[in-house]
Amino acid sequence: VVVVVVVGVAVGGAVGRPQLEMDTVLCRLLENEAKIPDICERIRDQFNRQLGAGIGGVTRAFERCLMASSARRQLCLEVLAYFCRNAKFECDGEIARSLANVVLLSNPPRFSLTSAQSAAIRISKVLTEVQRLKLLDMAEKTQPPWKKSALN
């Protein structure tokens, strides 16, 4: 007997197409610009839920904040950099790769990295080489011309 359990999915969007629920607690933490360790702890908790139930909610909340104001986008990028720098737990590498994919696939407007974020991504051992290169390339392409030299 095989039992398939679908957790954290609600029907919405296009007809018959499932839409993942957003992690509203994480979204509030991001919107209220909570401390990075608090945000990261919530993300870890969700990634460690049984059967990966929390991953979709994290993805949706992170995507929403990436597309919001530049301050929230910057906070999301700092969270990504934190996981790139501080992969202390087994799930942290997976989290960093997942968040990097959210950034790359959501294609946020005006994508800016601080020099510390750029360095964290550049030397990250948990991101794939393709992710590192694409994130740095995306950041450079959306920078105003007077800021581009700061990323190199």
Side-chain angles (χ1 to χ4, degrees):
V1 175
V2 175
V3 177
V4 177
V5 179
V6 178
V7 181
V9 176
V11 176
V15 177
R17 191 171 130 205
Q19 183 178 27
L20 297 173
E21 293 179 5
M22 182 171 33
D23 181 347
T24 55
V25 172
L26 176 59
C27 202
R28 277 195 305 271
L29 287 170
L30 290 166
E31 288 172 353
N32 294 328
E33 298 181 18
K35 294 179 180 175
I36 299 294
D38 295 338
I39 294 169
C40 293
E41 187 61 35
R42 175 64 184 184
I43 292 171
R44 277 190 196 107
D45 288 346
Q46 293 302 299
F47 263 73
N48 287 324
R49 285 180 60 195
Q50 188 176 17
L51 300 173
I55 296 171
V58 167
T59 299
R60 297 280 297 164
F62 207 73
E63 183 179 52
R64 176 180 172 170
C65 288
L66 277 169
M67 301 311 282
S69 69
S70 62
R72 287 198 197 129
R73 192 165 32 258
Q74 197 55 238
L75 183 60
C76 288
L77 295 170
E78 187 56 40
V79 168
L80 171 59
Y82 179 90
F83 280 111
C84 288
R85 282 190 298 267
N86 303 303
K88 297 176 187 173
F89 300 99
E90 189 175 319
C91 64
D92 288 355
E94 181 183 347
I95 292 171
R97 288 185 296 278
S98 294
L99 296 180
N101 285 339
V102 173
V103 172
L104 291 169
L105 294 172
S106 64
N107 198 19
R110 276 287 171 217
F111 180 100
S112 146
L113 292 174
T114 65
S115 58
Q117 291 166 347
S118 180
I121 289 168
R122 185 175 287 110
I123 64 171
S124 173
K125 294 183 185 329
V126 295
L127 295 178
T128 67
E129 184 174 345
V130 171
Q131 286 176 317
R132 281 194 305 273
L133 293 173
K134 287 191 178 223
L135 285 166
L136 294 169
D137 186 54
M138 181 187 279
E140 187 172 322
K141 284 182 179 175
T142 61
Q143 287 293 318
W146 52 271
K147 264 192 161 181
K148 285 187 180 179
S149 62
L151 287 175
N152 297 326

